[in-house]
Short mmCIF file of all heavy atoms in Angstrom, two decimals:
data_model
loop_
_atom_site.label_atom_id
_atom_site.label_comp_id
_atom_site.label_asym_id
_atom_site.label_seq_id
_atom_site.Cartn_x
_atom_site.Cartn_y
_atom_site.Cartn_z
N MET A 1 0.83 -1.20 0.00
CA MET A 1 0.00 0.00 0.00
C MET A 1 0.86 1.26 0.00
O MET A 1 1.73 1.41 0.86
CB MET A 1 -0.88 0.02 1.27
CG MET A 1 -2.10 -0.87 1.18
SD MET A 1 -3.31 -0.27 -0.01
CE MET A 1 -4.00 1.13 0.90
N PRO A 2 0.67 2.13 -0.95
CA PRO A 2 1.40 3.40 -0.91
C PRO A 2 0.87 4.22 0.26
O PRO A 2 -0.32 4.21 0.51
CB PRO A 2 1.06 4.06 -2.24
CG PRO A 2 -0.23 3.44 -2.67
CD PRO A 2 -0.28 2.06 -2.06
N SER A 3 1.74 4.87 0.96
CA SER A 3 1.26 5.62 2.11
C SER A 3 1.86 7.00 2.23
O SER A 3 1.43 7.78 3.05
CB SER A 3 1.52 4.84 3.39
OG SER A 3 2.89 4.59 3.53
N SER A 4 2.86 7.33 1.41
CA SER A 4 3.36 8.70 1.50
C SER A 4 3.12 9.43 0.19
O SER A 4 3.20 8.85 -0.90
CB SER A 4 4.84 8.72 1.89
OG SER A 4 5.62 8.10 0.91
N CYS A 5 2.81 10.69 0.34
CA CYS A 5 2.44 11.52 -0.79
C CYS A 5 3.60 11.66 -1.79
O CYS A 5 4.73 11.91 -1.39
CB CYS A 5 2.04 12.90 -0.28
SG CYS A 5 1.59 14.06 -1.56
N GLU A 6 3.27 11.48 -3.06
CA GLU A 6 4.28 11.59 -4.11
C GLU A 6 4.84 13.01 -4.19
O GLU A 6 5.97 13.22 -4.57
CB GLU A 6 3.61 11.24 -5.45
CG GLU A 6 4.55 10.92 -6.56
CD GLU A 6 5.19 9.54 -6.42
OE1 GLU A 6 4.56 8.64 -5.84
OE2 GLU A 6 6.32 9.39 -6.89
N TYR A 7 4.04 13.97 -3.80
CA TYR A 7 4.44 15.37 -3.93
C TYR A 7 5.13 15.91 -2.67
O TYR A 7 6.22 16.45 -2.74
CB TYR A 7 3.22 16.22 -4.27
CG TYR A 7 3.55 17.68 -4.43
CD1 TYR A 7 4.32 18.12 -5.51
CD2 TYR A 7 3.10 18.62 -3.51
CE1 TYR A 7 4.65 19.45 -5.66
CE2 TYR A 7 3.41 19.96 -3.66
CZ TYR A 7 4.19 20.37 -4.73
OH TYR A 7 4.50 21.69 -4.87
N CYS A 8 4.49 15.75 -1.52
CA CYS A 8 5.03 16.39 -0.32
C CYS A 8 5.54 15.40 0.72
O CYS A 8 6.06 15.80 1.75
CB CYS A 8 4.00 17.32 0.31
SG CYS A 8 2.64 16.43 1.08
N ASP A 9 5.37 14.11 0.44
CA ASP A 9 5.94 13.08 1.31
C ASP A 9 5.24 12.91 2.66
O ASP A 9 5.75 12.23 3.53
CB ASP A 9 7.44 13.35 1.53
CG ASP A 9 8.29 12.16 1.12
OD1 ASP A 9 7.83 11.34 0.32
OD2 ASP A 9 9.41 12.05 1.64
N SER A 10 4.09 13.51 2.83
CA SER A 10 3.35 13.31 4.07
C SER A 10 2.57 12.00 3.99
O SER A 10 2.24 11.54 2.91
CB SER A 10 2.32 14.42 4.26
OG SER A 10 2.93 15.67 4.34
N PRO A 11 2.26 11.40 5.13
CA PRO A 11 1.41 10.21 5.11
C PRO A 11 0.01 10.58 4.61
O PRO A 11 -0.65 11.43 5.20
CB PRO A 11 1.37 9.77 6.59
CG PRO A 11 2.54 10.46 7.23
CD PRO A 11 2.71 11.75 6.47
N VAL A 12 -0.41 9.98 3.51
CA VAL A 12 -1.66 10.39 2.89
C VAL A 12 -2.90 10.07 3.72
O VAL A 12 -3.92 10.72 3.58
CB VAL A 12 -1.83 9.80 1.48
CG1 VAL A 12 -0.74 10.30 0.55
CG2 VAL A 12 -1.86 8.28 1.51
N GLU A 13 -2.79 9.09 4.59
CA GLU A 13 -3.96 8.70 5.39
C GLU A 13 -4.44 9.82 6.31
O GLU A 13 -5.57 9.80 6.78
CB GLU A 13 -3.67 7.46 6.22
CG GLU A 13 -3.56 6.18 5.40
CD GLU A 13 -2.20 5.99 4.74
OE1 GLU A 13 -1.31 6.83 4.99
OE2 GLU A 13 -2.04 5.04 3.97
N ARG A 14 -3.56 10.78 6.56
CA ARG A 14 -3.95 11.90 7.43
C ARG A 14 -4.84 12.89 6.70
O ARG A 14 -5.38 13.81 7.30
CB ARG A 14 -2.72 12.66 7.91
CG ARG A 14 -1.86 11.86 8.87
CD ARG A 14 -0.77 12.77 9.37
NE ARG A 14 0.25 12.00 10.08
CZ ARG A 14 1.46 12.48 10.38
NH1 ARG A 14 1.78 13.71 10.03
NH2 ARG A 14 2.33 11.75 11.02
N HIS A 15 -4.94 12.76 5.40
CA HIS A 15 -5.65 13.76 4.61
C HIS A 15 -6.83 13.09 3.90
O HIS A 15 -7.48 12.25 4.49
CB HIS A 15 -4.68 14.41 3.63
CG HIS A 15 -3.46 14.97 4.29
ND1 HIS A 15 -3.43 16.20 4.89
CD2 HIS A 15 -2.23 14.43 4.49
CE1 HIS A 15 -2.23 16.40 5.42
NE2 HIS A 15 -1.49 15.35 5.19
N ASP A 16 -7.06 13.47 2.67
CA ASP A 16 -8.16 12.91 1.90
C ASP A 16 -7.54 12.32 0.65
O ASP A 16 -7.53 12.93 -0.41
CB ASP A 16 -9.13 14.05 1.56
CG ASP A 16 -10.35 13.54 0.82
OD1 ASP A 16 -10.65 12.34 0.89
OD2 ASP A 16 -11.00 14.35 0.15
N PRO A 17 -6.93 11.15 0.78
CA PRO A 17 -6.01 10.66 -0.25
C PRO A 17 -6.63 10.41 -1.61
O PRO A 17 -7.79 10.02 -1.73
CB PRO A 17 -5.46 9.36 0.33
CG PRO A 17 -6.39 8.97 1.40
CD PRO A 17 -7.02 10.23 1.91
N VAL A 18 -5.81 10.67 -2.64
CA VAL A 18 -6.17 10.42 -4.02
C VAL A 18 -5.11 9.47 -4.58
O VAL A 18 -3.93 9.69 -4.37
CB VAL A 18 -6.14 11.74 -4.83
CG1 VAL A 18 -6.45 11.48 -6.30
CG2 VAL A 18 -7.10 12.75 -4.25
N TYR A 19 -5.55 8.42 -5.27
CA TYR A 19 -4.61 7.48 -5.84
C TYR A 19 -4.69 7.50 -7.36
O TYR A 19 -5.77 7.55 -7.92
CB TYR A 19 -4.90 6.06 -5.33
CG TYR A 19 -4.79 5.94 -3.84
CD1 TYR A 19 -5.91 6.03 -3.02
CD2 TYR A 19 -3.54 5.76 -3.24
CE1 TYR A 19 -5.80 5.94 -1.65
CE2 TYR A 19 -3.42 5.66 -1.86
CZ TYR A 19 -4.56 5.75 -1.07
OH TYR A 19 -4.44 5.66 0.29
N VAL A 20 -3.53 7.48 -7.99
CA VAL A 20 -3.47 7.48 -9.45
C VAL A 20 -2.67 6.25 -9.88
O VAL A 20 -1.55 6.05 -9.45
CB VAL A 20 -2.77 8.76 -9.98
CG1 VAL A 20 -2.62 8.70 -11.50
CG2 VAL A 20 -3.53 10.00 -9.56
N ARG A 21 -3.27 5.44 -10.74
CA ARG A 21 -2.55 4.29 -11.26
C ARG A 21 -2.21 4.56 -12.72
O ARG A 21 -3.07 4.93 -13.51
CB ARG A 21 -3.40 3.02 -11.15
CG ARG A 21 -2.62 1.76 -11.52
CD ARG A 21 -3.52 0.54 -11.50
NE ARG A 21 -4.10 0.27 -10.20
CZ ARG A 21 -3.46 -0.36 -9.20
NH1 ARG A 21 -2.24 -0.77 -9.37
NH2 ARG A 21 -4.06 -0.56 -8.06
N GLU A 22 -0.94 4.36 -13.07
CA GLU A 22 -0.50 4.63 -14.43
C GLU A 22 -0.46 3.33 -15.22
O GLU A 22 0.50 2.58 -15.14
CB GLU A 22 0.88 5.28 -14.41
CG GLU A 22 0.88 6.62 -13.68
CD GLU A 22 2.23 7.29 -13.74
OE1 GLU A 22 3.25 6.59 -13.81
OE2 GLU A 22 2.26 8.53 -13.70
N GLY A 23 -1.51 3.06 -15.96
CA GLY A 23 -1.57 1.83 -16.75
C GLY A 23 -1.38 0.63 -15.84
O GLY A 23 -2.05 0.50 -14.82
N GLU A 24 -0.44 -0.23 -16.20
CA GLU A 24 -0.13 -1.38 -15.36
C GLU A 24 0.97 -1.04 -14.37
O GLU A 24 1.47 -1.89 -13.66
CB GLU A 24 0.33 -2.56 -16.23
CG GLU A 24 -0.75 -3.07 -17.18
CD GLU A 24 -1.96 -3.59 -16.43
OE1 GLU A 24 -1.78 -4.37 -15.48
OE2 GLU A 24 -3.08 -3.19 -16.79
N GLY A 25 1.36 0.21 -14.37
CA GLY A 25 2.48 0.63 -13.54
C GLY A 25 2.10 0.80 -12.09
O GLY A 25 1.04 0.39 -11.64
N ARG A 26 2.96 1.46 -11.37
CA ARG A 26 2.72 1.59 -9.94
C ARG A 26 1.70 2.67 -9.63
O ARG A 26 1.42 3.53 -10.45
CB ARG A 26 4.02 1.85 -9.21
CG ARG A 26 4.59 3.25 -9.39
CD ARG A 26 5.98 3.29 -8.78
NE ARG A 26 6.42 4.67 -8.60
CZ ARG A 26 6.20 5.35 -7.48
NH1 ARG A 26 5.55 4.82 -6.49
NH2 ARG A 26 6.64 6.59 -7.38
N GLU A 27 1.19 2.59 -8.45
CA GLU A 27 0.18 3.53 -8.00
C GLU A 27 0.87 4.66 -7.25
O GLU A 27 1.75 4.43 -6.44
CB GLU A 27 -0.78 2.80 -7.07
CG GLU A 27 -2.06 3.54 -6.82
CD GLU A 27 -3.05 2.67 -6.08
OE1 GLU A 27 -2.77 2.28 -4.93
OE2 GLU A 27 -4.10 2.36 -6.64
N ARG A 28 0.46 5.87 -7.56
CA ARG A 28 1.00 7.03 -6.85
C ARG A 28 -0.07 7.53 -5.90
O ARG A 28 -1.23 7.58 -6.24
CB ARG A 28 1.34 8.15 -7.84
CG ARG A 28 2.42 7.78 -8.83
CD ARG A 28 2.62 8.90 -9.83
NE ARG A 28 3.50 8.48 -10.92
CZ ARG A 28 4.83 8.52 -10.83
NH1 ARG A 28 5.42 8.96 -9.76
NH2 ARG A 28 5.56 8.13 -11.86
N ALA A 29 0.35 7.93 -4.73
CA ALA A 29 -0.59 8.43 -3.73
C ALA A 29 -0.34 9.90 -3.47
O ALA A 29 0.80 10.37 -3.48
CB ALA A 29 -0.40 7.65 -2.43
N PHE A 30 -1.42 10.63 -3.26
CA PHE A 30 -1.34 12.06 -2.96
C PHE A 30 -2.27 12.37 -1.81
O PHE A 30 -3.31 11.72 -1.64
CB PHE A 30 -1.77 12.87 -4.19
CG PHE A 30 -0.88 12.65 -5.39
CD1 PHE A 30 -1.18 11.64 -6.30
CD2 PHE A 30 0.25 13.40 -5.58
CE1 PHE A 30 -0.35 11.41 -7.40
CE2 PHE A 30 1.09 13.18 -6.67
CZ PHE A 30 0.79 12.18 -7.59
N CYS A 31 -1.94 13.38 -1.03
CA CYS A 31 -2.77 13.77 0.11
C CYS A 31 -4.18 14.11 -0.33
O CYS A 31 -5.16 13.77 0.32
CB CYS A 31 -2.22 15.01 0.78
SG CYS A 31 -0.54 14.85 1.37
N ASN A 32 -4.27 14.84 -1.43
CA ASN A 32 -5.53 15.37 -1.91
C ASN A 32 -5.31 15.91 -3.33
O ASN A 32 -4.21 15.78 -3.87
CB ASN A 32 -6.02 16.49 -0.97
CG ASN A 32 -4.94 17.52 -0.70
OD1 ASN A 32 -4.17 17.87 -1.60
ND2 ASN A 32 -4.85 18.00 0.51
N TYR A 33 -6.32 16.49 -3.90
CA TYR A 33 -6.19 16.98 -5.28
C TYR A 33 -5.20 18.14 -5.40
O TYR A 33 -4.60 18.34 -6.45
CB TYR A 33 -7.55 17.39 -5.84
CG TYR A 33 -8.37 16.19 -6.26
CD1 TYR A 33 -9.43 15.74 -5.47
CD2 TYR A 33 -8.05 15.48 -7.42
CE1 TYR A 33 -10.16 14.63 -5.83
CE2 TYR A 33 -8.78 14.36 -7.79
CZ TYR A 33 -9.83 13.94 -7.00
OH TYR A 33 -10.54 12.84 -7.36
N ALA A 34 -5.01 18.89 -4.33
CA ALA A 34 -4.04 19.98 -4.38
C ALA A 34 -2.64 19.43 -4.62
O ALA A 34 -1.89 19.94 -5.46
CB ALA A 34 -4.09 20.79 -3.09
N CYS A 35 -2.27 18.39 -3.89
CA CYS A 35 -0.96 17.78 -4.10
C CYS A 35 -0.87 17.13 -5.47
O CYS A 35 0.15 17.20 -6.14
CB CYS A 35 -0.65 16.77 -3.00
SG CYS A 35 -0.10 17.53 -1.47
N LEU A 36 -1.95 16.51 -5.90
CA LEU A 36 -1.96 15.89 -7.22
C LEU A 36 -1.71 16.91 -8.32
O LEU A 36 -0.84 16.74 -9.16
CB LEU A 36 -3.30 15.18 -7.45
CG LEU A 36 -3.54 14.65 -8.87
CD1 LEU A 36 -2.50 13.63 -9.29
CD2 LEU A 36 -4.93 14.04 -8.96
N THR A 37 -2.46 18.01 -8.29
CA THR A 37 -2.32 18.99 -9.36
C THR A 37 -0.97 19.71 -9.28
O THR A 37 -0.38 20.01 -10.31
CB THR A 37 -3.47 20.01 -9.36
OG1 THR A 37 -3.55 20.63 -8.09
CG2 THR A 37 -4.78 19.33 -9.67
N SER A 38 -0.46 19.94 -8.08
CA SER A 38 0.85 20.55 -7.95
C SER A 38 1.93 19.64 -8.53
O SER A 38 2.84 20.09 -9.23
CB SER A 38 1.17 20.83 -6.48
OG SER A 38 0.27 21.77 -5.97
N TYR A 39 1.80 18.36 -8.25
CA TYR A 39 2.76 17.39 -8.77
C TYR A 39 2.72 17.37 -10.31
O TYR A 39 3.75 17.41 -10.97
CB TYR A 39 2.43 16.00 -8.21
CG TYR A 39 3.28 14.91 -8.80
CD1 TYR A 39 4.56 14.67 -8.29
CD2 TYR A 39 2.83 14.14 -9.86
CE1 TYR A 39 5.36 13.67 -8.84
CE2 TYR A 39 3.61 13.15 -10.41
CZ TYR A 39 4.88 12.92 -9.89
OH TYR A 39 5.66 11.93 -10.44
N VAL A 40 1.52 17.33 -10.85
CA VAL A 40 1.36 17.31 -12.30
C VAL A 40 1.94 18.57 -12.94
O VAL A 40 2.66 18.52 -13.92
CB VAL A 40 -0.13 17.13 -12.68
CG1 VAL A 40 -0.35 17.38 -14.16
CG2 VAL A 40 -0.60 15.73 -12.31
N ASP A 41 1.64 19.72 -12.34
CA ASP A 41 2.18 20.98 -12.86
C ASP A 41 3.70 20.98 -12.85
O ASP A 41 4.35 21.33 -13.82
CB ASP A 41 1.68 22.16 -12.03
CG ASP A 41 0.24 22.53 -12.36
OD1 ASP A 41 -0.30 22.01 -13.35
OD2 ASP A 41 -0.32 23.34 -11.61
N GLU A 42 4.28 20.59 -11.75
CA GLU A 42 5.74 20.64 -11.63
C GLU A 42 6.43 19.63 -12.52
O GLU A 42 7.51 19.87 -13.02
CB GLU A 42 6.16 20.42 -10.17
CG GLU A 42 5.78 21.61 -9.33
CD GLU A 42 6.57 21.65 -8.02
OE1 GLU A 42 7.42 20.77 -7.80
OE2 GLU A 42 6.32 22.57 -7.24
N ALA A 43 5.79 18.50 -12.71
CA ALA A 43 6.39 17.48 -13.56
C ALA A 43 6.14 17.75 -15.04
O ALA A 43 6.72 17.10 -15.90
CB ALA A 43 5.84 16.11 -13.17
N GLY A 44 5.29 18.74 -15.33
CA GLY A 44 5.00 19.07 -16.72
C GLY A 44 4.28 17.96 -17.45
O GLY A 44 4.41 17.81 -18.66
N LEU A 45 3.53 17.18 -16.70
CA LEU A 45 2.90 16.00 -17.30
C LEU A 45 1.81 16.33 -18.30
O LEU A 45 1.44 15.49 -19.10
CB LEU A 45 2.31 15.11 -16.20
CG LEU A 45 3.34 14.52 -15.23
CD1 LEU A 45 2.64 13.69 -14.17
CD2 LEU A 45 4.34 13.65 -15.97
N THR A 46 1.31 17.56 -18.25
CA THR A 46 0.24 17.90 -19.18
C THR A 46 0.75 18.65 -20.40
O THR A 46 0.01 18.90 -21.33
CB THR A 46 -0.84 18.76 -18.49
OG1 THR A 46 -0.21 19.93 -17.97
CG2 THR A 46 -1.50 18.00 -17.36
N THR A 47 2.04 18.99 -20.42
CA THR A 47 2.58 19.77 -21.52
C THR A 47 2.71 18.95 -22.80
O THR A 47 3.47 17.99 -22.84
CB THR A 47 3.97 20.34 -21.14
OG1 THR A 47 3.84 21.09 -19.93
CG2 THR A 47 4.50 21.25 -22.23
N GLY A 48 1.99 19.34 -23.81
CA GLY A 48 2.09 18.66 -25.10
C GLY A 48 1.72 17.20 -25.04
O GLY A 48 2.14 16.41 -25.86
N ASN A 49 0.94 16.84 -24.04
CA ASN A 49 0.72 15.42 -23.81
C ASN A 49 -0.75 15.08 -23.67
O ASN A 49 -1.08 14.03 -23.18
CB ASN A 49 1.48 15.02 -22.55
CG ASN A 49 1.65 13.52 -22.45
OD1 ASN A 49 1.74 12.84 -23.45
ND2 ASN A 49 1.68 13.02 -21.23
N CYS A 50 -1.62 15.98 -24.10
CA CYS A 50 -3.02 15.67 -23.92
C CYS A 50 -3.54 14.85 -25.10
O CYS A 50 -2.98 14.87 -26.19
CB CYS A 50 -3.85 16.94 -23.76
SG CYS A 50 -3.98 17.93 -25.23
N CYS A 51 -4.60 14.14 -24.87
CA CYS A 51 -5.23 13.44 -25.98
C CYS A 51 -5.95 14.47 -26.83
O CYS A 51 -6.11 15.61 -26.42
CB CYS A 51 -6.21 12.39 -25.46
SG CYS A 51 -7.59 13.09 -24.56
N GLU A 52 -6.33 14.07 -28.00
CA GLU A 52 -6.89 15.06 -28.91
C GLU A 52 -8.40 15.14 -28.82
O GLU A 52 -9.09 15.23 -29.81
CB GLU A 52 -6.40 14.78 -30.32
CG GLU A 52 -4.90 14.97 -30.42
CD GLU A 52 -4.38 14.86 -31.84
OE1 GLU A 52 -5.20 14.94 -32.78
OE2 GLU A 52 -3.17 14.71 -32.01
N TRP A 53 -8.87 15.11 -27.61
CA TRP A 53 -10.30 15.26 -27.38
C TRP A 53 -10.67 16.69 -27.60
O TRP A 53 -9.99 17.59 -27.13
CB TRP A 53 -10.63 14.84 -25.94
CG TRP A 53 -12.07 14.98 -25.61
CD1 TRP A 53 -13.05 14.08 -25.87
CD2 TRP A 53 -12.70 16.08 -24.94
NE1 TRP A 53 -14.24 14.56 -25.41
CE2 TRP A 53 -14.07 15.77 -24.84
CE3 TRP A 53 -12.24 17.31 -24.43
CZ2 TRP A 53 -14.98 16.64 -24.25
CZ3 TRP A 53 -13.14 18.17 -23.84
CH2 TRP A 53 -14.50 17.84 -23.74
N SER A 54 -11.73 16.95 -28.33
CA SER A 54 -12.20 18.32 -28.47
C SER A 54 -13.68 18.39 -28.26
O SER A 54 -14.42 17.50 -28.68
CB SER A 54 -11.80 18.87 -29.84
OG SER A 54 -12.30 18.03 -30.84
N PRO A 55 -14.13 19.41 -27.57
CA PRO A 55 -15.56 19.55 -27.32
C PRO A 55 -16.32 19.78 -28.62
O PRO A 55 -15.80 20.41 -29.52
CB PRO A 55 -15.64 20.75 -26.38
CG PRO A 55 -14.39 21.52 -26.62
CD PRO A 55 -13.34 20.51 -27.04
N THR A 56 -17.50 19.27 -28.68
CA THR A 56 -18.28 19.45 -29.92
C THR A 56 -19.20 20.65 -29.80
O THR A 56 -19.63 20.99 -28.73
CB THR A 56 -19.11 18.21 -30.23
OG1 THR A 56 -19.87 17.86 -29.07
CG2 THR A 56 -18.22 17.06 -30.62
ZN1 ZN B 1 0.87 15.81 -0.23
#
């Protein structure tokens, strides 16, 4: 079980944890959506990497 936040390293059980699984890869744990979005922003995971979904 992942138990420390991927972003800030705090024990996620103390907060409102969010888990992200990457395909068949490992699961990342975050305290909450704030840590998740901060992690994504800092890692640049959304840069040039979105699917080509467009609203109709
Ligand atoms: Zn955190």
Side-chain angles (χ1 to χ4, degrees):
M1 281 291 286
S3 59
S4 63
C5 178
E6 197 74 30
Y7 181 68
C8 71
D9 236 22
S10 299
V12 297
E13 288 82 4
R14 292 186 192 166
H15 306 277
D16 183 20
V18 177
Y19 299 96
V20 176
R21 187 185 299 279
E22 299 183 330
E24 296 298 312
R26 73 188 195 91
E27 195 171 63
R28 297 176 189 276
F30 298 90
C31 302
N32 50 39
Y33 283 104
C35 281
L36 171 60
T37 56
S38 296
Y39 174 82
V40 169
D41 283 350
E42 290 199 1
L45 297 178
T46 57
T47 305
N49 197 31
C50 70
C51 64
E52 295 187 16
W53 179 84
S54 56
T56 52

